[in-house]
Amino acid sequence: MFANLSLSTGANSLMRYFADSLVSLWDIMEMLCLRTFTKLELPVRTISFNHTGEYIASASEDLFIDISNVQTGGTVHQIPCQAAMNSVEWNPKYNLLAYAGDDKNKYQADEGVFWIFGFESA
């Protein structure tokens, strides 16, 4: 079974997911599951903490990226996507999220592009 881990900036908590639709927040010192994020319905492919550890981005075969508040578990924003996402990664200094997935062009070939979410509108 596929599993992945992501450490928070302060390294006092960690997120884990398996090839299911659940993302779990764990306290490293107590080895205790603090919260489970259940917004995704299809197998999770990638997760990432932002630079402050306040937000977690998670993506799957669902056609959106979920950005949740780590402390409350509530969704802050959902980014609609055209395909399953393979990678999400926060900028190390700013709340900018880069993401890439299985997008295809009009010929059904892999498109090989990424997007950045978080810039303010002009």
Side-chain angles (χ1 to χ4, degrees):
M1 178 175 263
F2 178 76
N4 198 355
L5 301 172
S6 179
L7 287 172
S8 68
T9 303
N12 56 356
S13 59
L14 99 110
M15 295 294 253
R16 83 96 197 132
Y17 68 90
F18 286 100
D20 59 15
S21 61
L22 301 177
V23 175
S24 301
L25 174 68
W26 288 78
D27 181 301
I28 293 175
M29 301 303 286
E30 300 293 326
M31 290 308 297
L32 178 69
C33 181
L34 302 174
R35 185 169 297 99
T36 301
F37 299 79
T38 59
K39 308 297 185 299
L40 302 173
E41 295 181 9
L42 297 171
V44 179
R45 291 185 171 192
T46 181
I47 58 176
S48 180
F49 280 101
N50 77 326
H51 68 285
T52 64
E54 182 179 2
Y55 301 113
I56 183 83
S58 55
S60 69
E61 296 173 17
D62 292 297
L63 297 180
F64 64 89
I65 298 168
D66 183 69
I67 300 174
S68 294
N69 182 292
V70 171
Q71 294 303 314
T72 67
T75 295
V76 175
H77 193 78
Q78 285 188 346
I79 304 168
C81 303
Q82 298 296 315
M85 291 292 108
N86 295 321
S87 181
V88 294
E89 193 63 46
W90 290 96
N91 178 290
K93 292 184 179 181
Y94 306 104
N95 280 333
L96 299 173
L97 181 71
Y99 57 99
D102 288 342
D103 294 273
K104 307 284 185 199
N105 65 19
K106 65 181 178 180
Y107 305 108
Q108 293 304 305
D110 290 334
E111 210 164 35
V113 297
F114 70 93
W115 293 267
I116 298 177
F117 169 80
F119 288 109
E120 293 183 25
S121 299

